Amino acid sequence: MPRDREECSAFLQTAFTRYFAASQHQPLLEAAIYGLLNEATTLEVEIARLFSAIQGALYFATQFPLDPIKRPRIGNLYREFLKARPNVFAGLWPLIDRQDGPPLCDLRNAVVHGEAFTEQEWLALSYAGEHLRWHLERIILVALGWDIEKSAVSTRALGLFTAYQNWKQERDKLA
């Protein structure tokens, strides 16, 4: 379905306004968007890259003050982001919440600490990469003023993907 021209125009005006108002955080958003570019790399590297991009996007989205000496943990940025948008990640593999099983941050930690993954865990890693991408896309869209339900990462659109429907079974294989 083609997008509404006027709606897109309004979004671009809002997005540019938000982007230029956050001059201190622009490089972080730019790096986060770069993280979405699919370069030929291993799943482990993609997971680490996307997680880093999420942190940059959260800085931009929350306008958290930059302190080069003491950066806040991603959990703090994430919770700050969720205060105003508590349901923005509904249906996705949790990023930091351990309530129902291992969150995506556990995978990131395993990757950066050099944990080896088996061939049987490849599908779970693949799903994790997709969910990190969807988290990142949603953060960027919200930060720039776009309604997620009008995007390719809406609940309706993601419901067509196996990685969205069956991620819990794959996550549980990593536990």
Side-chain angles (χ1 to χ4, degrees):
M1 165 186 282
R3 300 211 193 286
D4 179 85
R5 217 172 187 40
E6 288 180 27
E7 195 172 76
C8 285
S9 176
F11 165 68
L12 289 173
Q13 289 175 346
T14 302
F16 281 123
T17 301
R18 290 183 182 197
Y19 174 77
F20 289 115
S23 61
Q24 180 181 1
H25 294 79
Q26 286 173 356
L28 295 168
L29 180 66
E30 292 163 3
I33 292 170
Y34 179 76
L36 288 171
L37 301 176
N38 191 11
E39 296 180 18
T41 186
T42 65
L43 280 172
E44 294 90 346
V45 170
E46 180 182 7
I47 287 169
R49 185 181 76 224
L50 288 169
F51 212 89
S52 177
I54 286 170
Q55 187 169 12
L58 286 170
Y59 262 111
F60 181 88
T62 60
Q63 293 297 298
F64 206 88
L66 290 174
D67 182 349
I69 297 169
K70 185 176 181 189
R71 293 199 271 171
R73 295 179 163 259
I74 193 165
N76 295 342
L77 292 168
Y78 189 73
R79 284 185 282 280
E80 185 67 28
F81 181 79
L82 287 176
K83 283 181 185 177
R85 306 153 200 91
N87 299 316
V88 73
F89 302 117
L92 295 182
W93 185 334
L95 191 67
I96 61 170
D97 184 12
R98 288 186 169 76
Q99 189 173 9
D100 294 325
L104 290 166
C105 69
D106 285 359
L107 266 180
R108 178 256 175 218
N109 293 342
V111 165
V112 298
H113 292 290
E115 186 173 314
F117 295 95
T118 67
E119 193 173 321
Q120 292 77 22
E121 295 170 322
W122 183 86
L123 189 57
L125 288 174
S126 173
Y127 284 9
E130 289 299 320
H131 281 260
L132 285 168
R133 181 176 298 281
W134 297 332
H135 274 274
L136 177 55
E137 288 181 35
R138 284 184 175 189
I139 293 165
I140 291 170
L141 289 172
V142 166
L144 293 176
W146 187 255
D147 180 359
I148 290 172
E149 290 309 312
K150 296 177 183 176
S151 76
V153 290
S154 69
T155 302
R156 181 179 43 84
L158 293 182
L160 302 173
F161 291 91
T162 303
Y164 184 80
Q165 298 168 7
N166 300 330
W167 64 269
K168 290 180 182 178
Q169 297 98 303
E170 293 303 320
R171 176 205 55 200
D172 293 345
K173 292 177 184 176
L174 294 170

